[in-house]
Amino acid sequence: MAAVQATFWDNGYAGTSLEDLLAASGLGKGSLYGAFGDKRSLFLRVLREYDEANDRMLRTWLEQADHAIDVIRGFVTGPVRDPGGEQARRGCLLANTAMELSVSTSEVAAEARRSYAATTSVLVDAIRRAQREGDIAPHVDPDGAAHAVLSGQLGLIVLGRVGQDPAALLIMADTLLDGLLPQS
C-alpha cells in the first residue's frame, strides 16, 4: 500500500494511471479491482490511511515531547526543513489532493475537513500545554492560534510545492510562529 500511496502522491490522482497502480501494487487488474474496487475507491482508502497515520504520529509526538512548543514548531517547519527543497516540492498528499480534487470530489473535501479538524484539535492541545509550560503567552486563544498555525503550515506547503527557496521557507515559518505564538 505504501508504493500505491507514493504513486498517487508523486503523480496526483489524475496523473496516476491504472498501469501505474498495477506496477506499484504488484497486482493484476482483476486482483486490484477485486481487492479495492475502482481507482477512486483505492485512492480514498489510501488518503484516509495517510491522514490517520499522520494524526496518530502527531498525537504520539505530543504525548512524548518534553515541550509542546517543539511539536508545534516541528509541525510547521517539518515540511520545509529539507535544505535541497525536495520534500517541500513534494508537498503533502492531503494538501496536494485537496487542491486537485476538493471542488470536484465531495469525498475528498469531506476527508480534508475531517483530517484538518483532527489536526487542529491536536494543535489546540499543544498550544494549551505550551501555555501551561510557559512557552506561549496566556492571552493567546488556543483555538484561533491552532487554526492560524494550520493555515500557515498549509501556505508554506503550497509555496514549497511551487519551488520557493527552502531557506526563505524556513524564515517564513519562524516569522509565522513568532507572530502567532508569542512567548510569555
Side-chain angles (χ1 to χ4, degrees):
M1 204 57 139
V4 170
Q5 179 190 84
T7 300
F8 278 126
W9 196 342
D10 291 338
N11 301 328
Y13 178 79
T16 300
S17 68
L18 176 60
E19 292 75 28
D20 295 332
L21 294 173
L22 295 175
S25 68
L27 297 173
K29 187 176 182 179
S31 297
L32 184 73
Y33 284 127
F36 303 106
D38 59 5
K39 175 182 169 182
R40 180 181 177 137
S41 298
L42 174 59
F43 180 74
L44 291 171
R45 179 175 169 181
V46 164
L47 184 62
R48 174 56 75 102
E49 289 178 4
Y50 171 86
D51 292 342
E52 289 173 352
N54 280 337
D55 183 61
R56 283 189 306 274
M57 179 188 68
L58 189 57
R59 289 178 189 283
T60 300
W61 190 11
L62 181 58
E63 289 169 8
Q64 296 175 354
D66 290 334
H67 298 280
I69 192 68
D70 296 335
V71 173
I72 301 163
R73 287 195 172 279
F75 172 79
V76 172
T77 62
V80 298
R81 201 176 306 136
D82 171 28
E86 289 178 32
Q87 182 180 353
R89 282 188 298 281
R90 190 174 194 214
C92 161
L93 178 60
L94 178 60
N96 298 350
T97 299
M99 288 184 285
E100 179 186 4
L101 298 174
S102 285
V103 171
S104 63
T105 310
S106 62
E107 297 96 337
V108 168
E111 177 60 20
R113 285 190 303 271
R114 186 203 65 76
S115 183
Y116 290 143
T119 298
T120 301
S121 176
V122 176
L123 290 171
V124 167
D125 293 344
I127 291 167
R128 286 183 177 140
R129 182 174 146 196
Q131 286 175 315
R132 290 190 304 274
E133 293 169 348
D135 292 322
I136 296 176
H139 72 273
V140 171
D141 170 41
D143 189 61
H147 281 92
V149 166
L150 176 62
S151 298
Q153 189 237 31
L154 290 172
L156 290 167
I157 288 171
V158 170
L159 291 171
R161 185 92 167 124
V162 299
Q164 179 73 42
D165 175 56
L169 289 170
L170 282 175
I171 291 168
M172 288 179 226
D174 288 338
T175 302
L176 171 81
L177 287 165
D178 291 344
L180 292 174
L181 304 174
Q183 291 185 334
S184 302

